[in-house]
Amino acid sequence: VQLQASGGGLVQAGDSLRLSCAASGHTFSRLAMGWFRQGSGKEREFVAAISWSGGSTDYEDSVKDRFTISRDNAKNMVYLQMSSLRPEDTAAYFCAAKPVDYYEDYTTNYDYDYWGQGTQVTVSS
């Protein structure tokens, strides 16, 4: 599975940004997907997850009501719409994938098998 994240950039506090992640090398509708981030000098942390069907989503508490994860299985894409960005959201953002069976239509915030390269999001105050 190859994952290519994009869409990062430098924005001001309160702005919005949409990250995209293109997946290849696996049937996309059999991948649970997630977004993680890692700030400078910090541990990587879970941000959001979506089940293979898109029917289930999960968020880290600090991004709930500000970030939205979605996917387009026809385009092999997963997105992270980020709004009301804060300086503390500054980090490299990574998409991740976990192969699942069709009956495993749930989210997970750990145990991902494949990772993309990061896309940097910098939020200025």
Side-chain angles (χ1 to χ4, degrees), residues 1-3 26 31 95-99 112-116:
V1 178
Q2 292 79 48
L3 302 172
H26 195 283
L31 292 174
C95 58
K98 176 181 173 59
Y112 283 86
D113 300 288
Y114 301 97
W115 296 83

Side-chain angles (χ1 to χ4, degrees), residues 69-114:
I69 189 171
S70 62
R71 65 189 295 157
D72 186 334
N73 285 352
K75 296 182 178 179
N76 293 357
M77 298 289 294
V78 63
Y79 306 99
L80 185 67
Q81 178 67 48
M82 306 184 293
S83 61
S84 302
L85 282 162
R86 305 167 181 170
E88 54 264 40
D89 295 318
T90 294
Y93 283 71
F94 301 86
C95 58
K98 176 181 173 59
V100 295
D101 287 317
Y102 77 95
Y103 53 83
E104 297 177 301
D105 194 19
Y106 53 74
T107 61
T108 179
N109 60 1
Y110 67 99
D111 198 27
Y112 283 86
D113 300 288
Y114 301 97

Side-chain angles (χ1 to χ4, degrees), residues 21-33:
C21 176
S24 61
H26 195 283
T27 302
F28 187 67
S29 59
R30 291 298 175 265
L31 292 174
M33 301 296 296

